[in-house]
């Protein structure tokens, strides 16, 4: 899954921020691959993408969620507002709903 991070404000210098994923109802290693790293914008760049691998299985799980977090303390030459420091990602299961064969 791809999460796009948009740079706001001045784009005249190099800017960076660290990111990581965090479990919510989805579990890293089961539903998605845990990710962390640093996004670096060069002068003039507006967007960067965080690519998170999804892990498929044959079990039905309904809708599960995880978060992508921006580390506000790690920002270089920029600002991350509190309201823009996290994004929740919903994974909607495409496996068949289990049935009760005895019903």
């Amino acid at each position: 899954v791809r999460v796009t991070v948009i740079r706001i404000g001045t784009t005249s210098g190099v800017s960076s921020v660290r990111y990581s994923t965090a479990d919510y109802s989805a579990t890293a290693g089961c539903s998605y691959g845990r990710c962390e790293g640093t996004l670096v914008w060069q002068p003039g760049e507006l967007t960067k993408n965080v690519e998170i691998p999804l892990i498929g299985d044959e079990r039905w799980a309904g809708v599960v969620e995880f978060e992508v977090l921006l580390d506000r303390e790690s920002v270089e030459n920029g600002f991350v507002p509190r309201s823009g420091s996290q994004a929740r990602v919903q994974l909607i299961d495409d496996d068949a709903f289990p049935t009760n064969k005895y019903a």
Side-chain angles (χ1 to χ4, degrees):
V1 83
R2 175 180 295 150
V3 175
T4 301
V5 180
I6 302 171
R7 180 182 186 182
I8 56 176
T10 182
T11 62
S12 60
V14 175
S15 186
S16 66
V17 66
R18 290 192 44 74
Y19 69 89
S20 62
T21 55
D23 293 352
Y24 196 71
S25 55
T27 304
C30 293
S31 300
Y32 72 98
R34 184 178 311 279
C35 293
E36 62 181 37
T38 302
L39 299 173
V40 179
W41 288 265
Q42 296 302 318
E45 289 185 313
L46 296 175
T47 63
K48 288 291 179 183
N49 294 315
V50 177
E51 300 285 341
I52 302 141
L54 301 181
I55 300 171
D57 61 24
E58 299 299 317
R59 293 178 305 141
W60 186 80
V63 176
V64 293
E65 300 174 326
F66 67 91
E67 294 180 322
V68 178
L69 308 172
L70 299 179
D71 180 1
R72 297 176 68 219
E73 302 297 319
S74 73
V75 175
E76 296 285 336
N77 192 26
F79 172 73
V80 176
R82 178 171 287 213
S83 63
S85 64
Q86 65 187 40
R88 187 166 300 163
V89 178
Q90 287 189 334
L91 304 176
I92 301 171
D93 202 329
D94 63 350
D95 296 317
F97 183 79
T99 61
N100 183 347
K101 63 182 178 181
Y102 300 106

